[in-house]
């Protein structure tokens, strides 16, 4: 089997840079259509759920439970160096706000939550505030969070079906002064894998559930699933949402990536055309 999943997509030096789990390297593209592959050095590229952010003219990389941060100012050359030690961040998402303040969103657990901590890039990315819980799993009220291909639970050997999901895949997008904290449920192996969103006027919350969730959802078609994603704005002002799409035939982690148009309505609703 092979896989590409848990993507992060950023703009840097006039190009788009794409990182994914277990892919042996990363890609760059001038147009989101034609991609070239790079095999880096000094980077734990085979780790799951990478996150990359541009901070102060440099790219910074970490991944699931990596406990280190790496950096480069020349991703085309592919040489990275360690920049800092980090705490344990499952499914991390680095976010640099307009004012230069840096936040780490994270979480990947059964019936768990999404958390955030503020990091200080001037002092080795040490934790300044937090972590604090942004929101918990709430499958009793959010039907798309219920596990299973049809969000009706998954069978267990004894008792009723398992209903609680894996809550994971945090990703932050700021648009028109609102912070859109995206997350994934119910599990990466399901075609029902989707992204919901909470919003706030502050990067550390409090966050309010968006009732139109899931906004990124593709349970049918040749390939389904549209969860654990990354959102980027192109040079024309359009937004794109790149998502994990399960095949899960040979193995539950056999996955691909899908790229979908994303936008915002006049009243601030985030939507994705899958």
């Amino acid at each position: 089997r092979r896989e590409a999943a848990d993507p992060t997509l950023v703009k840097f030096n006039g190009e788009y840079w794409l990182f994914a789990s277990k892919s042996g390297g990363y890609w760059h593209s001038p147009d989101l259509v034609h991609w070239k592959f790079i095999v880096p050095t000094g980077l734990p590229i085979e780790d799951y759920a990478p996150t990359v952010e541009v901070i102060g003219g440099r790219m910074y990389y970490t991944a699931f439970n990596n406990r280190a941060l790496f950096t480069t100012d020349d991703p085309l050359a592919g040489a990275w160096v360690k920049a800092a030690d980090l705490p344990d961040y499952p499914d991390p998402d680095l976010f640099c706000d307009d004012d230069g303040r840096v936040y780490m969103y994270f979480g990947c657990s059964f019936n768990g939550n999404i958390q955030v901590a503020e990091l200080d890039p001037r002092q080795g990315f040490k934790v300044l505030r937090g972590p604090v819980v942004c929101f918990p799993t709430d499958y009793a009220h959010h039907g798309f969070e219920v596990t299973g291909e049809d969000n009706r639970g998954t069978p267990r050997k004894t008792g009723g079906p398992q209903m609680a999901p894996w809550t994971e895949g945090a990703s932050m997008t700021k648009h028109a002064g609102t912070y859109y904290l995206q997350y994934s449920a119910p599990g990466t192996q399901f075609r029902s894998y989707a992204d919901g969103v909470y919003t706030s006027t502050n990067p550390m919350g409090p966050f309010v559930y968006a009732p139109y969730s899931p906004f990124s959802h593709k349970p049918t078609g040749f390939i389904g699933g549209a969860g654990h994603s990354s959102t980027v704005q192109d040079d024309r002002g359009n937004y794109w949402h790149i998502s994990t799409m399960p095949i899960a035939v040979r193995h539950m982690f056999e996955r691909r990536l899908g790229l979908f148009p994303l936008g915002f309505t006049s009243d601030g609703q985030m939507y994705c055309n899958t």
Side-chain angles (χ1 to χ4, degrees):
R1 68 181 178 92
R2 62 186 176 89
E3 67 174 307
D6 316 320
T8 187
L9 182 60
V10 298
K11 284 195 307 181
F12 184 73
N13 285 352
E15 287 199 295
Y16 302 93
W17 299 83
L18 171 61
F19 299 76
S21 293
K22 297 285 184 178
S23 294
Y26 53 84
W27 298 264
H28 64 108
S29 169
D31 54 12
L32 297 175
V33 177
H34 304 94
W35 297 90
K36 293 184 179 180
F37 189 66
I38 292 175
V39 178
T41 58
L43 204 60
I45 199 64
E46 283 296 294
D47 286 348
Y48 277 113
T51 180
V52 175
E53 182 64 299
V54 178
I55 303 170
R58 301 182 65 89
M59 296 178 78
Y60 288 85
Y61 169 105
T62 190
F64 193 119
N65 292 341
N66 185 268
R67 297 178 181 268
L69 189 68
F70 300 85
T71 187
T72 184
D73 61 0
D74 189 1
L76 189 62
W80 296 70
V81 296
K82 184 177 176 180
D85 293 308
L86 295 176
D88 185 3
Y89 293 127
D91 272 12
D93 178 63
L94 267 175
F95 171 71
C96 184
D97 207 349
D98 301 332
D99 59 6
R101 297 171 77 169
V102 175
Y103 303 87
M104 178 69 81
Y105 300 90
F106 61 97
C108 178
S109 60
F110 175 71
N111 201 23
N113 54 46
I114 300 298
Q115 301 181 49
V116 61
E118 183 179 0
L119 309 182
D120 188 349
R122 294 171 296 277
Q123 297 187 52
F125 291 86
K126 294 180 180 178
V127 176
L128 282 176
R129 290 188 294 162
V132 297
V133 174
C134 301
F135 55 84
T137 299
D138 190 8
Y139 66 92
H141 298 98
H142 306 158
F144 90 96
E145 293 182 8
V146 177
T147 191
E149 290 288 3
D150 300 309
N151 302 111
R152 296 181 178 182
T154 54
R156 291 187 289 190
K157 291 182 179 180
T158 59
Q162 173 190 310
M163 305 297 281
W166 278 82
T167 302
E168 56 193 17
S171 179
M172 173 57 77
T173 301
K174 185 179 182 181
H175 173 76
T178 297
Y179 297 87
Y180 293 81
L181 180 51
Q182 302 137 72
Y183 72 105
S184 305
T188 191
Q189 71 270 38
F190 301 121
R191 294 165 66 91
S192 57
Y193 200 38
D195 290 325
V197 61
Y198 282 71
T199 63
S200 179
T201 56
N202 186 293
M204 294 192 72
F207 289 91
V208 177
Y209 182 72
Y212 54 81
S213 297
F215 71 95
S216 176
H217 189 223
K218 192 181 186 300
T220 61
F222 174 74
I223 182 171
H228 199 138
S229 311
S230 176
T231 302
V232 70
Q233 188 176 25
D234 68 21
D235 293 330
R236 297 181 179 181
N238 303 307
Y239 285 89
W240 298 90
H241 195 64
I242 189 163
S243 300
T244 302
M245 307 186 74
I247 295 175
V249 174
R250 295 179 177 90
H251 191 278
M252 66 178 288
F253 286 161
E254 183 184 13
R255 299 169 290 178
R256 301 291 185 269
L257 304 179
L259 184 64
F260 308 113
L262 181 141
F264 299 88
T265 63
S266 59
D267 62 353
Q269 177 173 322
M270 175 182 267
Y271 66 88
C272 184
N273 181 0
T274 61

